């Protein structure tokens, strides 16, 4: 196996280093390029135990480990959305439900690989900036690996479930009086110190774990026409695109999907620029959205995401918070899927694009639902609910029965 690092901007190539994250020549992010050894038939991956998590695809990962840190991450369900596909007017619509990962988000795929590397290179501690899910996942995987964990979080802007996970797994929580973008700057500085290993998505090895989502979709339904992904720091959409490109380059598949990135309107540096025909993002200092996971003004992987959308012939779109909440409700109440607000932005984007005539109706579409609804219990307050107060057993029975409008004979 031949592995190199390549700058996504200037194309400079470098020998493998697990501590080089930005191109020394131009400062942009790097990607891992590799020529695998002989690959097994795709069926072989399917035969392997789900206990191996992302390592089921070990020949497609650029890092070999005898003892990977895994919790069986990935292997998440691809769920057909039969009701929503009819309403929206799509031939076949699926949700890749990443909330079913061990810590409830897609981050676990990347964390399994990045924490394995951190352990094997002998890091003393790991560090991550986060809007919450990276934190929860880093805390869990690092606990399993026996590594000390530092998390830099924007104070007051991390959803309750994610904060609870970080605390439960014993991480040191640094609450910064600033936003995620500032937290990430702090981590970039700490990452230069020998003792710390960074677990953010400017670390290209983490994204190698996240590309396995593409392999699983391919395993279940082949290559869909569209993959729609919520975008924050812009790593995941580029990782998924890389996964599909590798399936084709290595001879497993014939086609490629179109990649569509969805941002929240108040935090849409990529979507706003793309739709205005610009070639660079419109960074913002004050991102704001109810979908706190993607409340990001300066996505570090913007160029990778931009290329994913451009090369694949997809698009970016932005959706207002009201549509995100509506999509969260539709997923929960029509299809039984609990998504946190950021996780529902892919559906909100799909609905918006469909209403603009973007699809012809004959497509097969996968929306990535990136995080579980339990992550953000406060978001339940945006949805109407029927609550009944009951004083005792008889009262509860009577009220439920009369609520349904039936008469029970005793
Ligand atoms: N959806 C959820 C639920 C997320 O937590 C994130 C990112 C995204 C989408 C966007 O993915 O950054 O790869 O474009 N959360 C990061 C975090 C920033 O710190 O947990 P991206």
């Amino acid at each position: 196996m031949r592995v190199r690092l390549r700058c996504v901007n200037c194309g400079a190539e470098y020998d493998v280093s697990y501590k080089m994250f930005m191109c020394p020549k131009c400062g942009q992010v790097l990607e891992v390029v590799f020529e695998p050894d002989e690959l097994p038939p795709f069926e072989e991956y399917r035969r392997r135990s789900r206990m191996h998590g992302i390592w089921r695809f070990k020949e497609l990962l650029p890092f070999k480990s005898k003892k990977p840190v895994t919790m069986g991450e990935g292997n998440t369900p691809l769920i057909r959305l039969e009701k929503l596909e009819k309403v929206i007017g799509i031939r076949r619509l699926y949700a890749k439900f990443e909330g079913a990962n061990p810590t409830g988000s897609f981050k676990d795929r990347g964390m399994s690989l990045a924490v394995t590397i951190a352990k094997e290179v002998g890091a003393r501690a790991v560090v991550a900036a986060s809007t919450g899910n990276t934190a929860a996942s880093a805390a869990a995987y690092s606990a399993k690996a026996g590594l000390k964990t530092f998390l830099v979080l924007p104070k007051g802007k991390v959803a309750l479930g994610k904060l609870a996970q970080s605390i439960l797994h014993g991480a040191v929580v640094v609450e910064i009086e600033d936003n995620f973008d500032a937290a990430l700057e702090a981590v970039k500085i700490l990452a230069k110190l020998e003792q710390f290993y960074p677990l953010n998505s400017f670390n290209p090895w983490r994204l190698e774990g996240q590309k396995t989502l593409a392999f699983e979709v391919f395993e279940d339904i082949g290559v869909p026409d569209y993959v729609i992904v919520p975008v924050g720091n812009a790593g995941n959409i580029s990782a998924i695109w890389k996964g599909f490109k590798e399936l084709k380059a290595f001879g497993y598949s014939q086609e490629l999907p179109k990649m569509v990135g969805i941002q929240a309107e108040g935090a849409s540096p990529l979507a706003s620029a793309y739709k205005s025909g610009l070639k660079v993002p419109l960074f913002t200092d004050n991102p704001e959205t109810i979908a706190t996971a993607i409340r990001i003004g300066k996505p570090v992987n913007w160029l990778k995401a931009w290329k994913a959308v451009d090369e694949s012939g997809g698009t970016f779109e932005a959706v207002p918070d009201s549509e995100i909440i509506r999509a969260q409700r539709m997923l929960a109440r029509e299809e039984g899927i609990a998504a946190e607000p950021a996780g529902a932005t892919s559906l909100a984007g799909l609905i918006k694009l469909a209403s603009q005539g973007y699809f012809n109706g004959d497509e097969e579409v996968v929306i990535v639902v990136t995080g579980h609804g339990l992550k953000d219990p406060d978001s339940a307050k945006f949805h109407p609910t029927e609550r009944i107060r009951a004083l005792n057993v008889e009262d509860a029975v009577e009220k439920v029965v009369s609520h349904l409008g039936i008469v029970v004979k005793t």
Side-chain angles (χ1 to χ4, degrees):
M1 184 172 64
R2 206 177 102 89
V3 189
R4 311 266 297 154
L5 290 171
R6 184 165 61 206
C7 173
V8 287
N9 179 44
C10 72
E13 290 209 1
Y14 304 97
D15 289 340
V16 165
S17 153
Y18 298 110
K19 281 286 281 184
M20 187 202 286
F21 305 110
M22 299 295 172
C23 175
K25 291 207 175 88
C26 77
Q28 256 294 352
V29 284
L30 302 168
E31 67 176 345
V32 181
V33 282
F34 78 114
E35 290 155 29
D37 301 329
E38 206 181 323
L39 293 170
F42 203 84
E43 279 305 306
E44 171 65 20
Y45 305 120
R46 196 193 295 274
R47 276 197 289 271
R48 292 179 185 159
S49 164
R50 301 288 192 269
M51 283 179 80
H52 300 307
I54 60 160
W55 302 87
R56 184 159 70 88
F57 300 103
K58 63 180 183 202
E59 290 86 349
L60 293 168
L61 299 177
F63 185 82
K64 303 277 165 253
S65 172
K66 289 212 167 62
K67 226 175 164 302
V69 183
T70 181
M71 293 197 269
E73 60 290 321
N75 304 301
T76 54
L78 188 68
I79 306 167
R80 180 98 179 249
L81 307 183
E82 279 160 344
K83 283 196 211 153
L84 294 184
E85 69 189 13
K86 285 201 186 69
V87 181
I88 299 166
I90 294 288
R91 185 162 56 90
R92 277 202 285 267
L93 178 61
Y94 301 88
K96 182 69 170 159
F97 185 39
E98 290 293 280
N101 271 291
T103 78
S105 84
F106 67 94
K107 308 284 181 180
D108 295 346
R109 297 174 182 275
M111 233 36 98
S112 176
L113 187 52
V115 171
T116 298
I117 293 176
K119 197 175 168 198
E120 294 192 13
V121 300
R124 271 197 57 198
V126 295
V127 60
S130 183
T131 55
N133 281 323
T134 292
S137 184
Y141 278 80
S142 304
K144 187 165 173 62
L147 291 166
K148 184 143 184 103
T149 313
F150 293 89
L151 304 170
V152 189
L153 310 181
K155 186 160 191 260
K157 296 293 181 183
V158 172
L160 188 62
K162 306 173 190 182
L163 196 57
Q165 288 177 288
S166 304
I167 292 166
L168 186 64
H169 294 300
V172 179
V173 174
V174 182
E175 293 186 291
I176 186 168
E177 305 269 354
D178 208 326
N179 61 26
F180 168 84
D181 302 294
L184 193 67
E185 284 311 309
V187 169
K188 279 185 180 166
I189 295 168
L190 288 166
K192 293 197 176 116
L193 303 174
E194 193 196 321
Q195 295 83 351
F196 291 98
Y197 198 71
L199 298 177
N200 283 104
S201 58
F202 63 76
N203 178 339
W205 302 96
R206 200 192 96 185
L207 294 179
E208 289 297 301
Q210 287 174 217
K211 76 185 181 188
T212 56
L213 186 149
F215 306 158
E216 293 172 19
V217 169
F218 177 68
E219 183 174 41
D220 285 342
I221 57 164
V223 179
D225 297 303
Y226 288 89
V227 180
I228 306 186
V229 190
V231 170
N233 219 12
N236 203 31
I237 189 171
S238 63
I240 296 169
W241 174 235
K242 190 170 190 282
F244 279 110
K245 277 200 300 188
E246 289 180 356
L247 286 175
K248 186 155 185 258
F250 302 152
Y252 286 126
S253 73
Q254 312 298 317
E255 293 112 45
L256 290 168
K258 291 186 171 60
M259 303 299 299
V260 175
I262 311 295
Q263 298 199 292
E265 240 170 43
S268 58
L270 286 163
S272 305
Y274 195 85
K275 285 166 52 173
S276 320
L278 300 175
K279 292 271 174 248
V280 286
L282 291 162
F283 285 162
T284 154
D285 286 330
N286 300 304
E288 206 45 84
T289 168
I290 223 166
T292 51
I294 52 172
R295 187 174 168 274
I296 294 174
K298 299 171 185 162
V300 72
N301 289 298
W302 74 265
L303 185 54
K304 282 187 180 177
W306 198 278
K307 285 188 170 188
V309 164
D310 248 5
E311 286 170 19
S312 71
T315 191
F316 284 107
E317 187 53 86
V319 287
D321 283 356
S322 57
E323 287 172 26
I324 295 174
I325 291 302
R326 186 167 154 255
Q328 184 189 37
R329 189 176 314 149
M330 289 170 87
L331 276 173
R333 299 194 176 179
E334 301 297 327
E335 300 288 356
I337 297 173
E340 63 170 295
T345 54
S346 43
L347 176 62
L350 167 72
I351 293 171
K352 182 165 180 187
L353 288 167
S355 74
Q356 295 166 352
Y358 183 77
F359 301 102
N360 65 29
D362 195 32
E363 293 93 346
E364 188 170 59
V365 178
V366 172
I367 56 169
V368 182
V369 175
T370 44
H372 203 291
L374 286 169
K375 293 275 193 172
D376 192 352
D378 290 331
S379 67
K381 69 172 177 262
F382 299 115
H383 303 288
T385 178
E386 291 180 83
R387 287 195 189 193
I388 299 170
R389 218 170 96 83
L391 297 174
N392 52 36
V393 174
E394 292 76 27
D395 196 30
V397 170
E398 193 193 309
K399 281 178 173 152
V400 169
V401 163
S402 68
H403 192 75
L404 196 62
I406 54 174
V407 180
V408 179
K409 293 191 193 87
T410 48

